[in-house]
Amino acid sequence: MKNYIVSIIFSDIADMLEIKGENFFKVRAYRKAARAIANLSEDIESLIETSSLANIEGIGKALEGKIREIVTSGTCAYYEKLKKEIPRGLVEMLKIPGLGAKRIRTIYEALGITTIDELEQAAKQRKLRGLPGIGVKTEQSILKGIQMLKGKMGKMLLSTAFYVADEILEILRSYSAVDKVDVAGSLRRKEELISDLDIIVSSKDPVEIADVVLAYPRIAEVLKRDENRLSVLLDLGIRVNVRVVEPRSFWIALHYYTGSREHNAKLFEIAQKKGLEFDESCVVKKESGELFYPESEEEIYGLLKMPFIIPELRENKGEIEAALEDKLPNSIEVGDIRGDLHIHSNWSDGMNSIEEIAAKAREMGYEYVAITDHSKSLKVARGLDEERLFKQIELIKKLNKEIQGIKILTGIEVDILTNDLLDFDDDVLKELDVVIASIHSGFGQDREKITQRIVKAMYNPYVNIIAHPTGRILGKRESYDVDIDVILKTAAETNTLLEINSTPDRLDLNDNLARKAKEMGVKLVINTDTHELEGLKDIKYGVWVARRGWLEKEDVVNTRPLSQLLEIFNKKRMNGEKK
Ligand SMILES: [Zn+2]
Ligand SMILES: [Zn+2]
């Protein structure tokens, strides 16, 4: 599959165009195409053969030609031309939290800086302050961002890691000498950022397995190869470890390498007390010296008189104690979700019509779906004003009469403005089924101000959900400065739902905060916030965060039937209107 390489080149082109200051729509076209191709389940080469590239959302004639060029030659002329024009270091700088394309261009034009190291130097020497649009605060945040980036270098998003792992698993599964294969490590525990991919393979022929993996085209360097282990570095800067074990050792090895280290340490201590010794290939009964090969992970936990602990919980954060007392959470599953309550249509900055979104949601087995476009102040996203919003409500009413098998809810993602007002008045908000409030501006405000903005929104009786509550973008932007304890407390008090946003680089709230929210009596909602159809499938990332956060089905309101969901919204509304 060459999907990945096409996707990476397109996203690179988008970055470079942005630094050049090219037209917003052109940049966006490349970015959306990159995402659509990354999410594609078919092989892009076979789409070329059947001339069906144009069926991919957002791929027009111009992009189609470039895709053909990349698939045949590994690159395209336009990309090569841009690479000569824009120094590589400038593109790298886009990864610095809080540094956008516009500022990068300003710094480049004023100081001729082309690498992150030079940029760090200049910030330390206080040469950035005073450039157009850059003050002392921005200079400090750039420096902080560089340090953050350096700490995270070599880590990738969970979604990217799964994409790469799936390619490798696919190669291995097609090979007859392979008995079983699966991912282990932080990937299997679904951590939000991944530094190493761990893959466990069982086979009678370890040597051949290594050769199969070495044929994977993205390998840049072999770091280590011995009898049953292969470590390679991919051209994406990611390290992959493949461990080959005998068929009878598969489950114990998979468990051993799924970790975390702290979880294993505690577990092995308990095993010791029971006269059992665990290693990566078998369990040893110490007294008799007998070797034992469990045939499932359930059996492994059973040896220690515990129920199975799902990989997402294996962090030694109380799960072993809970297992011993039979108090593990009944973890939420992807299939529990009955509807997505945060979706953008082509009325604002989404790609699809409401009809298309409804059809896709129905295909996914959902009972309801909410259309929540941006509000008028978010001009870059073509936010809706009152007039267009009311037109949209009319359309949805009409569609609900025509379309069977799914209920479309009216909604809005209303901006919490920097002056702490909402972008729409209450008499507009009260006309909608779902109101999401969120912050998209004024990220630099102080803690008190930002906290106050969100708290005030939660006291509005028509606001049902706070979206992406901390505002972080993984690897790009730290959360705004907010007193999260006050937010959680107010959410519980006002019956406002907090979102787990499933966008792979948001995952906001994160696992720890989701768990804390539950403990404080806050209800949550898991949404994709998608801008395109394929993104509806990203819901799994949010559910995984919830599983890591010990959440059960009952803690997440969009696992409930429509009538119960609307009751929850209504309750807050009526309480608020009474006051
Ligand atoms: Zn948003
Ligand atoms: Zn949104």
Side-chain angles (χ1 to χ4, degrees):
M1 298 246 287
K2 292 191 173 152
N3 301 26
Y4 201 76
I5 185 93
V6 179
S7 168
I8 287 200
I9 288 180
F10 277 8
S11 123
D12 244 15
I13 289 178
D15 286 346
M16 289 193 276
L17 291 177
E18 210 175 345
I19 291 169
K20 267 185 83 176
E22 284 271 359
N23 167 303
F24 165 77
F25 291 98
K26 193 168 169 186
V27 174
R28 193 178 70 162
Y30 277 100
R31 224 178 274 301
K32 296 215 156 171
R35 279 192 62 180
I37 293 166
N39 283 327
L40 215 58
S41 41
E42 299 99 329
D43 187 341
I44 200 150
E45 279 175 282
S46 63
L47 291 183
I48 292 178
E49 276 160 28
T50 54
S51 309
S52 39
L53 273 182
N55 297 345
I56 309 173
E57 299 164 39
I59 307 283
K61 274 275 166 278
L63 293 190
E64 207 181 313
K66 292 194 179 73
I67 294 174
R68 286 173 195 277
E69 222 183 315
I70 295 167
V71 168
T72 36
S73 72
T75 183
C76 68
Y78 184 55
Y79 180 50
E80 294 301 319
K81 179 173 154 268
L82 281 172
K83 279 206 297 194
K84 285 199 189 102
E85 215 173 309
I86 311 280
R88 191 69 211 157
L90 300 187
V91 180
E92 301 277 321
M93 284 178 204
L94 277 176
K95 294 185 192 147
I96 297 170
L99 189 64
K102 207 168 146 197
R103 281 185 178 143
I104 292 175
R105 196 167 64 247
T106 305
I107 294 168
Y108 172 59
E109 280 168 0
L111 304 173
I113 285 172
T114 57
T115 68
I116 291 180
D117 284 339
E118 285 170 14
L119 182 66
E120 187 175 16
Q121 220 38 46
K124 280 183 181 160
Q125 292 165 355
R126 306 181 169 188
K127 285 182 181 162
L128 303 183
R129 59 182 70 176
L131 294 179
I134 299 177
V136 176
K137 221 173 162 184
T138 312
E139 186 180 74
Q140 285 165 348
S141 88
I142 290 174
L143 206 49
K144 204 169 140 204
I146 293 174
Q147 278 142 13
M148 178 174 151
L149 181 69
K150 288 193 166 168
K152 274 195 182 139
M153 212 62 113
K155 290 209 174 191
M156 65 187 137
L157 295 177
L158 181 63
S159 56
T160 315
F162 261 102
Y163 186 87
V164 176
D166 279 343
E167 285 192 338
I168 300 174
L169 291 189
E170 199 187 333
I171 294 175
L172 284 166
R173 283 191 182 120
S174 65
Y175 195 64
S176 63
V178 169
D179 170 52
K180 290 191 191 69
V181 54
D182 207 345
V183 298
S186 52
L187 188 61
R188 185 156 179 252
R189 296 198 310 278
K190 318 279 181 16
E191 276 187 23
E192 60 192 28
L193 290 171
I194 305 289
S195 52
D196 284 32
L197 297 186
D198 292 297
I199 294 176
I200 308 293
V201 189
S202 61
S203 170
K204 289 205 170 85
D205 202 340
V207 182
E208 269 195 68
I209 297 297
D211 288 336
V212 171
V213 177
L214 285 175
Y216 182 53
R218 307 204 64 88
I219 294 176
E221 194 185 336
V222 175
L223 299 171
K224 191 175 174 182
R225 180 180 179 167
D226 58 32
E227 212 179 317
N228 36 33
R229 180 178 160 190
L230 177 67
S231 281
V232 296
L233 191 68
L234 302 186
D235 55 6
L236 307 161
I238 303 162
R239 197 181 153 114
V240 182
N241 305 308
V242 181
R243 292 189 169 81
V244 189
V245 298
E246 285 181 54
R248 62 182 177 177
S249 296
F250 179 77
W251 293 107
I252 196 81
L254 183 67
H255 177 265
Y256 190 91
Y257 288 110
T258 297
S260 67
R261 194 177 300 150
E262 294 77 11
H263 174 88
N264 284 359
K266 188 145 211 175
L267 215 57
F268 298 161
E269 199 183 299
I270 295 172
Q272 284 283 349
K273 287 184 190 142
K274 293 189 184 297
L276 300 169
E277 189 126 21
F278 279 58
D279 70 22
E280 65 260 56
S281 62
C282 64
V283 181
V284 186
K285 295 187 177 165
K286 277 197 290 186
E287 211 161 274
S288 62
E290 187 192 334
L291 304 184
F292 181 69
Y293 299 92
E295 284 174 17
S296 68
E297 284 190 325
E298 282 79 358
E299 201 177 336
I300 295 168
Y301 286 101
L303 286 172
L304 306 174
K305 303 278 180 287
M306 291 178 204
F308 174 72
I309 299 176
I310 59 168
E312 292 94 323
L313 290 178
R314 297 182 199 168
E315 299 287 353
N316 193 27
K317 289 183 178 169
E319 73 280 6
I320 293 175
E321 294 78 358
L324 287 168
E325 292 171 28
D326 205 13
K327 283 184 180 156
L328 280 174
N330 185 7
S331 302
I332 180 171
E333 292 181 24
V334 177
D336 292 330
I337 301 291
R338 286 179 188 248
D340 197 327
L341 298 178
H342 186 171
I343 296 177
H344 297 272
S345 77
N346 60 8
W347 284 62
S348 65
D349 60 345
M351 300 225 342
N352 302 97
S353 67
I354 298 173
E355 292 91 323
E356 288 170 327
I357 294 165
K360 182 76 181 176
R362 185 176 57 187
E363 185 193 307
M364 288 175 65
Y366 283 160
E367 185 183 336
Y368 46 83
V369 64
I371 304 298
T372 54
D373 280 308
H374 289 292
S375 60
K376 61 190 175 193
S377 289
L378 212 56
K379 294 213 169 60
V380 289
R382 293 180 57 235
L384 306 187
D385 58 16
E386 286 84 348
E387 196 190 328
R388 290 182 64 223
L389 178 61
F390 282 116
K391 271 190 189 147
Q392 190 185 63
I393 295 175
E394 284 314 307
L395 173 67
I396 291 176
K397 276 185 189 158
K398 184 172 132 290
L399 290 175
N400 272 325
K401 283 186 196 131
E402 293 165 3
I403 303 174
Q404 304 301 311
I406 183 105
K407 169 81 176 177
I408 310 168
L409 300 173
T410 59
I412 193 81
E413 179 175 13
V414 64
D415 257 65
I416 304 172
L417 304 176
T418 48
N419 62 8
D420 84 12
L421 292 175
L422 294 177
D423 204 8
F424 283 129
D425 294 334
D426 284 1
D427 53 1
V428 176
L429 299 180
K430 76 199 293 184
E431 298 301 320
L432 295 158
D433 295 321
V434 184
V435 175
I436 299 177
S438 58
I439 286 194
H440 294 118
S441 56
F443 293 99
Q445 288 179 336
D446 63 33
R447 190 181 184 86
E448 202 183 335
K449 180 73 196 157
I450 291 201
T451 308
Q452 180 50 34
R453 281 165 73 190
I454 302 176
V455 164
K456 193 172 166 203
M458 288 195 280
Y459 273 103
N460 183 306
Y462 304 105
V463 170
N464 308 116
I465 300 168
I466 300 295
H468 41 76
T470 77
R472 70 153 180 193
I473 306 282
L474 280 167
K476 270 205 174 156
R477 183 174 79 203
E478 286 194 88
S479 70
Y480 37 67
D481 194 4
V482 63
D483 189 336
I484 197 72
D485 287 324
V486 171
I487 300 297
L488 296 179
K489 209 171 119 246
T490 314
E493 246 167 52
T494 59
N495 286 317
T496 309
L497 307 168
L498 296 185
E499 182 181 69
I500 296 177
N501 189 296
S502 309
T503 309
D505 62 358
R506 281 197 186 266
L507 305 183
D508 176 12
L509 299 175
N510 69 15
D511 47 5
N512 288 330
L513 290 177
R515 186 172 178 184
K516 197 166 176 187
K518 174 193 167 114
E519 285 164 2
M520 291 175 71
V522 177
K523 293 284 182 220
L524 295 112
V525 54
I526 303 176
N527 294 323
T528 60
D529 191 5
T530 188
H531 293 67
E532 65 217 300
L533 291 185
E534 281 297 316
L536 279 162
K537 293 184 194 156
D538 287 346
I539 195 82
K540 58 178 179 281
Y541 299 112
V543 174
W544 291 343
V545 169
R547 283 164 71 84
R548 286 180 58 84
W550 290 57
L551 298 195
E552 306 188 324
K553 188 177 167 183
E554 290 65 37
D555 304 314
V556 176
V557 299
N558 53 329
T559 62
R560 310 207 179 170
L562 181 63
S563 57
Q564 287 182 25
L565 181 80
L566 296 178
E567 231 169 79
I568 292 172
F569 291 166
N570 258 327
K571 207 171 126 194
K572 175 175 179 185
R573 183 178 278 221
M574 278 157 56
N575 282 342
E577 281 172 349
K578 259 185 261 159
K579 277 173 198 162

